[in-house]
């Protein structure tokens, strides 16, 4: 199974994923590439293969990416070579943009079980969370709010992420369900 988790900046994607990975040793994280600066978020250094913008664009030109998206001026994408891992029978989790979720679901949905989850949080709460984590450019992050929120109907499940324990419990329930 592949669990895809999306949401606006500050929705708690990485917090939820980190808790899931700690509590569920059989769950694996599907790593992706980014052209984002490595120093932006210390808690995400193991989540990405960091590339320069030029290196990422070379991977695009060489058709090495299964899917990619530009978000906030940076590229994010999954290498074709990483996709093979999701067919291993192991459960994987991945934070992904709304266009990436659509691409992954369309291209892999008939090959592997995909559960897509949108973490929903009110705009005022997102702004509060971004301030608490020291985000320097909140306006830039919030520019995508309406765009990302409009994609909620594309997801299997929308979770109001106002209680971390409840969110984790819901997703763990999905992991426990037989396929």
């Amino acid at each position: 199974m592949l669990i895809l988790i999306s949401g606006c900046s500050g929705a708690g994607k990485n917090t939820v994923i980190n808790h899931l990975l700690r509590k569920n040793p059989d769950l694996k994280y599907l790593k992706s590439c980014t052209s984002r600066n490595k120093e932006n978020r210390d808690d995400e250094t193991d989540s990405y293969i960091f590339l320069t913008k030029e290196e990422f664009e070379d991977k695009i030109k060489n058709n090495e990416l299964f899917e990619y998206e530009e978000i906030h001026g940076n590229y994010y994408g999954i290498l074709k070579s990483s996709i093979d891992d999701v067919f291993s029978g192991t459960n994987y989790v991945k934070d992904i943009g709304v266009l990436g979720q659509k691409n992954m679901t369309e291209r892999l949905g008939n090959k592997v079980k995909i559960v897509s989850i949108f973490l929903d949080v009110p705009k005022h709460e997102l702004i509060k969370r971004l301030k608490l984590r020291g985000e320097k450019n909140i306006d830039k992050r919030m520019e995508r709010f309406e765009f990302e929120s409009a994609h909620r109907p594309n997801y299997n499940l929308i979770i109001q992420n106002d209680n971390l324990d409840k969110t984790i419990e819901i997703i763990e329930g999905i992991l426990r369900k037989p396929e």
Side-chain angles (χ1 to χ4, degrees):
M1 175 184 339
L2 175 59
I3 298 175
L4 300 175
I5 299 180
S6 302
C8 302
S9 288
K13 298 177 295 289
N14 291 306
T15 300
V16 167
I17 288 171
N18 288 335
H19 276 76
L20 286 168
L21 291 169
R22 274 196 299 276
K23 290 181 70 181
N24 301 277
D26 292 339
L27 182 65
K28 304 292 179 213
Y29 182 78
L30 183 63
K31 222 176 207 188
S32 59
C33 301
T34 185
S35 64
R36 188 170 89 186
N37 188 340
K38 198 174 197 173
E39 290 83 40
N40 286 0
R41 297 268 304 277
D42 291 336
D43 63 330
E44 294 178 350
T45 56
D46 291 336
S47 302
Y48 294 107
I49 299 163
F50 289 93
L51 304 171
T52 65
K53 192 167 189 170
E54 295 75 24
E55 289 170 328
F56 203 105
E57 289 171 346
D58 283 343
K59 294 205 177 295
I60 294 170
K61 276 189 252 175
N62 295 328
N63 201 26
E64 295 177 50
L65 294 161
F66 185 79
E67 69 83 29
Y68 70 94
E69 181 177 358
E70 188 174 351
I71 302 173
H72 305 302
N74 295 300
Y75 289 117
Y76 296 84
I78 300 173
L79 292 168
K80 285 182 177 179
S81 58
S82 297
I83 291 301
D84 293 337
D85 294 339
V86 300
F87 302 117
S88 68
T90 301
N91 291 329
Y92 278 86
V93 65
K94 176 74 189 117
D95 59 311
I96 196 161
V98 294
L99 297 180
Q101 176 271 342
K102 186 174 186 244
N103 288 334
M104 294 287 281
T105 302
E106 287 174 358
R107 295 178 66 193
L108 289 177
N110 61 347
K111 298 174 184 153
V112 67
K113 182 178 179 182
I114 295 178
V115 177
S116 60
I117 300 169
F118 190 91
L119 297 180
D120 205 13
V121 177
K123 191 172 187 175
H124 70 277
E125 178 64 21
L126 292 174
I127 293 169
K128 180 177 148 188
R129 290 179 184 186
L130 291 171
K131 284 179 182 177
L132 283 173
R133 79 176 191 202
E135 181 64 49
K136 292 177 179 73
N137 199 340
I138 292 172
D139 291 339
K140 182 178 181 180
R141 298 271 176 196
M142 296 315 303
E143 284 173 5
R144 285 181 56 97
F145 179 81
E146 296 301 328
F147 171 75
E148 290 172 324
S149 295
H151 284 82
R152 287 183 295 195
N154 298 337
Y155 288 78
N156 301 115
L157 183 62
I158 300 169
I159 299 175
Q160 187 66 35
N161 190 28
D162 55 3
N163 180 312
L164 180 60
D165 292 332
K166 185 178 174 187
T167 298
I168 299 299
E169 185 179 312
I170 292 168
I171 298 172
E172 286 181 328
I174 293 166
L175 286 168
R176 287 190 296 270
K177 283 184 184 174
E179 297 208 26

